[in-house]
């Protein structure tokens, strides 16, 4: 494939951007800010060390 054709294809591509869930680093605030910036934000459930903490996080941010 000619180089120019590859450049045209590359310029037309769109890729999703995902903020990867990071153990003990990701937070609901980080996910919210990522989403505001057009990025898919994720939060690993293991960051909430117990069901009680998870319930508190969900109630606070949602």
């Amino acid at each position: 494939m000619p180089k120019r054709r590859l450049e045209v294809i590359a310029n037309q591509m769109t890729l999703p951007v995902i903020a990867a869930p990071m153990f003990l680093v990701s937070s609901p605030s980080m996910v919210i800010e990522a989403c505001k910036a057009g990025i898919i934000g994720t939060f690993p459930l293991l960051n909430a060390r117990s069901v009680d903490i998870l319930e508190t996080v969900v109630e606070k941010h949602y």
Side-chain angles (χ1 to χ4, degrees):
M1 187 174 292
K3 184 177 179 180
R4 175 72 182 131
R5 179 77 175 135
L6 289 175
E7 289 175 8
V8 170
I9 292 170
N11 289 335
Q12 293 174 348
M13 290 175 51
T14 59
L15 300 172
V17 178
I18 301 170
M22 296 174 280
F23 183 61
L24 299 179
V25 176
S26 297
S27 68
S29 299
M30 187 175 110
V31 172
I32 290 167
E33 292 304 316
C35 292
K36 286 180 183 177
I39 298 170
I40 300 168
T42 59
F43 177 79
L45 290 179
L46 290 176
N47 282 3
R49 306 306 277 174
S50 69
V51 173
D52 293 332
I53 293 172
L54 180 60
E55 285 179 0
T56 302
V57 168
V58 171
E59 288 172 358
K60 179 179 178 183
H61 294 281
Y62 303 99

